[in-house]
């Protein structure tokens, strides 16, 4: 692969699974994917783009740019993770062992893991290997990435794990997420929706898979407009508000500014919710696991354990290299933005915990009618 390979055009469909053609892989790529998990063609497209970046001396993409690459490739799974190595020589057996240790060390189930691999060589002879992995908790029937305003589209998702509940959230160019009618038929979730205005539409499937609700699928549809160049670098409302202070204060400022951008009043910080959020953020950082239940119960259970009760409760969690990128990931997620823009909550607990790599694990614990 040339180091200056251009980014591929947007896929016409978002779908999974898309089996990787082993005949197209190099010996190093075959060894790596065999130790990672089931090969996914969409993730290979993403890995190729990242390998090209790496060979140009650019940093690995952050969580938002990585998601943008996935959506452009028609790959629908959220929360992907990346491993890479480079050097003049890359031994296939040694690289495969390192990939296996990385994949298993992330706490994901091998039976659910999907992987994409790419090898590249720069002009000076430097080689790079990139592996992209996801936990595929659901699969998506082909959904077009281009449509017309008002055109009815059918989303069909097949859950690969038991789910207590599932819903579909649509975020259009107007900026306000909406939950659309969805129905279950065994493990299959279906929903019908139509873009309400020209522009970019994000469609997200959220399922409660045993550790609280989480996004399991995400797709992008462009109504009557061409897909833009994807960078994943569009700031979220509020990022500019975080100029000083500690991590918690900066995240609180971003949250308040994001709500203000939608004409909503800020949420009042509550020390009791701060303590609950802090404990949960630390648990996630230690376990390297993003979840509403990190072994400490769901958000309502944690409120009750602290002797609190609330009429309404919501929680956002995120993981990113920086607090600003975590805020951006929350804003870009339809279900998380729904919580940011809720009108039935008036208090919030904020916490940011750093892991040993310095990454930020954030919690926004919201409540209404707290007592």
């Amino acid at each position: 692969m040339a180091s200056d390979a251009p980014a591929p055009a947007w896929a016409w469909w978002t779908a999974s699974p898309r089996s990787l053609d082993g005949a197209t892989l190099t010996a190093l790529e075959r060894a790596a994917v065999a130790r990672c998990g089931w090969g996914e063609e969409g993730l290979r497209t993403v890995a190729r783009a990242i390998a090209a970046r790496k060979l140009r001396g650019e940093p690995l993409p952050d969580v938002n740019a990585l998601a943008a690459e996935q959506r452009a490739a028609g790959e629908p799974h959220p929360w992907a993770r990346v491993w890479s190595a480079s050097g003049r020589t890359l031994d296939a057996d040694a690289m495969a062992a390192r990939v296996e240790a990385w994949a298993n060390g992330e706490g994901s189930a091998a039976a659910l893991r999907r992987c994409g691999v790419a090898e590249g060589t720069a002009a000076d002879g430097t080689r790079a290997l990139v592996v992209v992995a996801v936990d595929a908790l659901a699969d998506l029937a082909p959904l077009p990435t281009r449509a017309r305003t008002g055109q009815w589209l059918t989303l069909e998702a097949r859950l690969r794990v038991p789910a207590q509940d599932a819903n579909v959230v649509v975020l259009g160019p107007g900026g306000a997420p909406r939950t659309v009618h969805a129905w279950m038929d065994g493990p299959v979730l279906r929903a019908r929706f139509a873009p309400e205005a020209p522009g970019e539409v994000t469609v997200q499937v959220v399922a409660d898979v045993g550790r609280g609700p989480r996004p399991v699928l995400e797709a992008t549809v462009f109504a009557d407009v061409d897909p833009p160049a994807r960078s994943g670098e569009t700031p979220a409302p509020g990022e500019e508000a975080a100029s000083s202070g500690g991590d918690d204060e900066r995240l609180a400022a971003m949250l308040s500014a994001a709500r203000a951008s939608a004409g909503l009043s800020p949420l009042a910080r509550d020390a009791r919710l701060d303590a609950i959020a802090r404990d949960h953020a630390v648990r996630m950082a230690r376990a390297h696991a993003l979840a509403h239940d990190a072994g400490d119960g769901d958000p309502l259970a944690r409120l009750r354990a602290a002797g609190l009760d609330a009429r309404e409760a919501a929680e956002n969690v995120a993981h990113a290299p920086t607090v600003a990128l975590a805020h951006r990931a929350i804003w870009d997620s339809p279900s998380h933005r729904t919580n940011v823009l809720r009108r039935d909550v008036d208090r919030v607990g904020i916490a940011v915990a750093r892991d040993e790599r310095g990454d930020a694990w954030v919690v926004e614990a919201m409540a209404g009618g707290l007592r």
Side-chain angles (χ1 to χ4, degrees), residues 254-274:
M254 286 186 269
L255 173 61
S256 294
R259 285 178 60 87
S261 73
L264 300 176
S265 58
L267 302 177
R269 288 284 295 276
D270 189 293
R272 298 167 297 176
L273 294 177
D274 280 345

Side-chain angles (χ1 to χ4, degrees), residues 62-347:
D62 61 50
V63 61
N64 303 289
L66 178 57
E69 288 287 355
Q70 289 179 263
R71 301 299 89 82
E75 206 295 312
H77 298 102
W79 300 354
R81 49 198 183 274
V82 179
W83 178 92
S84 69
S86 60
R88 291 286 180 162
T89 60
L90 297 177
D91 178 77
D93 290 339
M95 290 298 102
R98 289 177 59 186
V99 168
E100 183 176 29
W102 165 77
N104 292 335
E106 292 292 315
S108 62
L112 297 173
R113 193 183 306 134
R114 303 270 176 82
C115 302
V117 295
E119 175 189 1
T121 305
D124 65 358
T126 300
R127 299 173 67 192
L129 176 67
V130 171
V131 181
V132 182
V134 298
D135 292 332
L137 305 184
D139 280 319
L140 182 68
L143 183 72
T145 55
R146 296 161 179 81
R148 300 184 305 277
T149 301
Q151 176 184 350
W152 284 98
L153 302 174
T154 299
L155 179 145
E156 181 177 306
R158 177 174 293 274
L159 295 170
R160 304 182 67 227
V161 293
Q164 301 175 27
D165 190 23
N167 59 68
V168 177
V169 185
V170 177
L171 175 61
R178 58 190 173 100
T179 300
V180 300
H181 175 64
W183 62 97
M184 293 288 297
D185 181 9
V188 178
L189 174 75
R190 293 184 176 89
R192 294 267 289 166
F193 70 96
E196 296 181 324
E200 180 177 338
V201 179
T202 301
V203 188
Q204 189 179 72
V205 177
V206 181
D208 187 338
V209 293
R211 300 183 70 181
R214 58 155 288 179
V216 295
L217 292 170
E218 191 170 289
T220 302
V221 178
F222 294 92
D224 295 323
V225 296
D226 291 328
R230 68 231 183 245
S231 67
E233 297 176 357
T234 303
E239 284 188 40
E240 71 287 349
S243 58
S244 62
D247 285 343
D248 294 0
E249 288 69 28
R250 292 173 59 237
L251 181 60
M254 286 186 269
L255 173 61
S256 294
R259 285 178 60 87
S261 73
L264 300 176
S265 58
L267 302 177
R269 288 284 295 276
D270 189 293
R272 298 167 297 176
L273 294 177
D274 280 345
I276 293 172
R278 168 63 49 187
D279 180 70
H280 190 64
V282 170
R283 284 176 176 268
M284 290 194 303
R286 288 175 177 170
H288 281 236
L290 196 62
H292 291 290
D293 182 353
D296 51 354
D298 62 27
L300 281 175
R302 282 182 265 123
L303 280 175
R304 297 189 186 104
L308 303 176
D309 192 17
R311 183 180 64 253
E312 302 291 340
E315 182 178 76
N316 284 336
V317 297
H319 164 228
T322 68
V323 175
L325 289 176
H327 172 71
R328 190 182 301 178
I330 287 172
W331 182 256
D332 288 345
S333 166
S335 56
H336 290 78
R337 191 187 300 191
T338 296
N339 288 337
V340 169
L341 301 180
R342 285 183 68 153
R343 298 174 180 269
D344 56 356
V345 296
D346 56 9
R347 292 181 178 273

